């Protein structure tokens, strides 16, 4: 893909279609289900045992009619001509499509990066090679400060409080404070109670 814009996508309650039934298709299904997808269909003449049981199976060769109702599509067969056809058909319908096999002529609309997920913290890495992306991800996993994971968990509680009790002109400054070294160390040493006291001393309106 010559150009890309990174984003995180909510896949809950969105019909997702996977064309293919092999190991790659099974990995795609596992990934989207882990991210909250609950409407996953898979089209293939055969299916690997690793395909999650919750996936709806359609035993058939690919046909454009299978795209009906789909909001996100993965072309994950072992045939480049079929994957290319899926990409073309999705483009014609305005459906976002990922192509598992790389092809410069029909590359699809998005890639699935190597992902590091620790609690609420998600780090996605794309480096033009799946193996290189995974290697970089693994290095990041070794280097990441675990206190940031703890603060990300705390933000589940603190962020709604800030949004509810402070006006927009003050929120950004408070969030910057919470991302700073002092707040992170307070949380590491004193837990949520310590963090509440610390932020409350600076912004009594949050108490």
């Amino acid at each position: 893909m010559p150009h890309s814009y990174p984003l995180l996508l909510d896949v809950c309650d969105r019909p997702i279609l996977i064309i293919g039934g092999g190991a790659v298709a099974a990995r795609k299904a596992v990934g989207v289900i882990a991210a909250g997808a609950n409407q996953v269909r898979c089209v293939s003449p055969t299916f690997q045992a690793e395909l999650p049981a919750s996936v709806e199976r359609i035993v058939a060769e690919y046909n454009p009619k299978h795209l009906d109702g789909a909001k996100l599509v993965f072309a994950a067969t072992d045939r480049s001509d079929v994957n290319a056809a899926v990409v073309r058909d999705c483009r014609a319908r305005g459906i976002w499509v990922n192509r598992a096999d790389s092809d410069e002529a029909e590359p699809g609309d998005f890639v699935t990066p190597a992902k590091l997920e620790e609690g609420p913290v998600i780090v996605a890495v794309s480096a033009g090679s799946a193996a290189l992306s995974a290697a970089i991800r693994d290095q990041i996993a070794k280097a990441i400060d675990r206190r940031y994971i703890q603060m990300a968990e705390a933000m589940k509680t603190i962020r709604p409080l800030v949004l509810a009790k402070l006006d927009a002109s003050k929120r950004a400054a408070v969030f910057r404070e919470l991302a700073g070294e002092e707040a992170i160390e307070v949380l590491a040493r004193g837990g949520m109670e310590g963090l509440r006291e610390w932020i409350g001393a600076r912004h009594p309106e949050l108490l």
Side-chain angles (χ1 to χ4, degrees):
M1 294 176 62
H3 308 287
S4 59
Y5 181 79
L7 55 82
L8 296 176
L9 185 65
D10 182 356
V11 295
C12 297
D13 300 320
R14 297 179 186 273
I16 295 175
L17 177 66
I18 301 170
I19 308 299
V24 174
R27 286 199 300 272
K28 299 295 185 185
V30 168
V32 295
I33 290 171
N38 52 15
Q39 299 180 42
V40 184
R41 288 181 292 141
C42 196
V43 176
S44 177
T46 60
F47 300 97
Q48 287 221 345
E50 291 79 6
L51 193 70
S54 62
V55 174
E56 177 187 353
R57 291 160 171 77
I58 299 174
V59 182
E61 296 284 352
Y62 168 68
N63 186 296
K65 69 181 181 182
H66 293 130
L67 300 176
D68 292 349
K71 300 301 183 183
L72 198 69
V73 174
F74 293 86
T77 77
D78 58 2
R79 291 178 52 184
S80 61
D81 60 325
V82 174
N83 290 341
V86 173
V87 170
R88 289 193 299 270
D89 294 340
C90 285
R91 289 266 175 87
R93 295 186 181 212
I95 303 171
W96 282 15
V97 58
N98 165 266
R99 181 171 180 172
D101 58 335
S102 59
D103 184 277
E104 294 301 322
E106 299 285 354
D109 301 308
F110 67 96
V111 298
T112 51
K115 183 175 73 169
L116 165 64
E117 187 168 4
E118 293 279 353
V121 174
I122 298 175
V123 178
V125 179
S126 178
S129 155
L132 179 58
S133 298
I136 295 171
R137 175 203 60 201
D138 293 344
Q139 282 299 112
I140 292 172
K142 294 175 184 177
I144 193 167
D145 188 331
R146 308 301 301 180
R147 297 178 306 163
Y148 288 121
I149 311 299
Q150 188 179 7
M151 180 58 79
E153 289 285 358
M155 288 299 290
K156 292 180 181 179
T157 300
I158 298 294
R159 187 172 186 274
L161 191 64
V162 172
L163 294 176
K165 296 198 173 185
L166 297 181
D167 61 47
S169 64
K170 295 182 179 179
R171 292 170 189 164
V174 174
F175 287 135
R176 282 194 295 270
E177 288 181 44
L178 288 166
E181 176 64 26
E182 185 178 352
I184 288 170
E185 185 59 24
V186 165
L187 178 63
R189 294 189 177 197
M192 274 299 298
E193 189 60 34
L195 182 63
R196 284 179 182 274
E197 292 178 4
W198 181 87
I199 197 66
R202 285 158 176 74
H203 303 278
E205 60 269 48
L206 290 175
L207 295 176

